[in-house]
Amino acid sequence: MAEDFLAIREEVAKLCAQFPGSYWQEKDKARAYPGEFVEALTEAGYLAALIPGEYGGAGLPLSAAAAILEEIQYRGCNGGACHAQMYIMGTLLRHGSDAQKQQYLPKIASGELRLQAFGVTEPTSGTDTLSLKTVAKKDGDSYVVNGQKIWTSRAEHSDLMLLLARTTPRDAVEKRTDGLSVFIVDMREALGNGLSIKPIDTMMNHSTTEVFFDDMRVPAANLIGEEGKGFRYILSGMNAERILIATECIGDARFFLDKATAYARERQVFGRPIGQNQGIQFPLAKAYAQMRAAALMVNDALARYEAGDNAGAEANMAKMLAADASWAAGEACIQTFGGFGFAAEYDVERKYRETRLYQVAPISTNLILSYLAEHVLGLPRSY
């Protein structure tokens, strides 16, 4: 489970030590992509952890990727700059043709190509993925794509994009989940040829963008799997995404708790360490309990996912509980530090902003609760 892989964790910790808080503070101030950090992870093979050995990867299970990402967050770094490669790649691995896997996976494993961009969310549909409006029409040996995506993070720093687009009109399919298809887009060729990218300035340094398609051509050979079945192809990838994001939140919570408890033992006010006060102790202790409970849920989700079971409920609960735990730990940490918690040099305010994202992404807490109500508790669909 995520608490295993101690040797990998130790090596990840050594790598992260080369990128201290000052590195991240500079990137945050400049809103710059941490390319050096991503390159170091790539060279060490961590971003190829899930790619099978026959394609040049490590062939490790999802729990290994979880351990890597948790450790990155715990050490004060930010896996959000590259975590997508781990869960996006699964769609290609599970549903891509042999030719596609041979063409892309070895280059992704070696770092020659980056697969970091996931083109799903749109301005008018949000998490209502089945209502997306980006259209791909077959035209000879290619598809012509028109539409728009938003919150497509790392599009400016990725060579390839996994794109979900409608290939059959919604009113022409029997099932709501039909009619969507997945494509691999080579953004190096498409940029300026129907593809344009507009950065979005956000609360945290997340390299996110809007992406516009204007008669962009994608070779028909880049269609993954069967036309019209794309939605189901990305579903298991979404479960993996939620589990991995949950492990990042566990790492964030551990970061905040370590920072806060160390500070509370050292900081003297009124002639005594502030950690002696229950007003400091109780929020930290409660956040710790939340983190430990969430970690158990993450491990359950990982076990079900790796066993090939439907881990939908567990992945959603893991993400929700872990995001709540990291936010609670962040709140307690800020309160412990007081005014110093808002000073960039301590890294607390940066991580506080970063972990806040996971209350709404990759899926909001309310949508998770709706999913559990309907699919676990058997209540009527609310939307």
Side-chain angles (χ1 to χ4, degrees), residues 56-96:
L60 295 172
L62 191 69
S63 49
I68 291 166
L69 289 173
E70 182 189 329
E71 197 68 25
I72 287 172
Q73 299 302 115
Y74 174 50
R75 298 298 172 177
C77 299
N78 187 2
C82 51
H83 58 195
Q85 188 152 305
M86 289 186 171
Y87 55 79
I88 292 176
M89 181 276 307
T91 300
L92 172 61
L93 181 61
R94 285 186 297 271
H95 305 290

Side-chain angles (χ1 to χ4, degrees), residues 318-354:
K319 186 268 173 186
M320 180 182 73
L321 295 173
D324 285 349
S326 66
W327 185 239
E331 283 278 334
C333 186
I334 285 273
Q335 203 67 21
T336 300
F337 271 78
F340 289 108
F342 297 91
E345 66 178 288
Y346 290 94
D347 288 312
V348 173
E349 62 85 29
R350 171 180 62 85
K351 293 283 280 185
Y352 186 70
R353 286 183 281 114
E354 290 171 357

Side-chain angles (χ1 to χ4, degrees), residues 13 22 29 58 131 139 195 211 215 226 241 278 374 378:
S22 56
K29 188 178 293 185
S131 295
D139 181 32
L195 171 65
V211 181
D215 289 338
E226 187 179 343
E241 176 185 30
Q278 290 180 341
E374 178 187 354

Side-chain angles (χ1 to χ4, degrees), residues 134-137 143-147 163 165 213-218:
T134 296
V135 173
K137 292 186 177 180
Y143 285 83
V144 179
V145 181
N146 284 282
L163 173 66
F213 311 105
D214 184 14
D215 289 338
M216 180 186 76
R217 287 191 170 268
V218 179

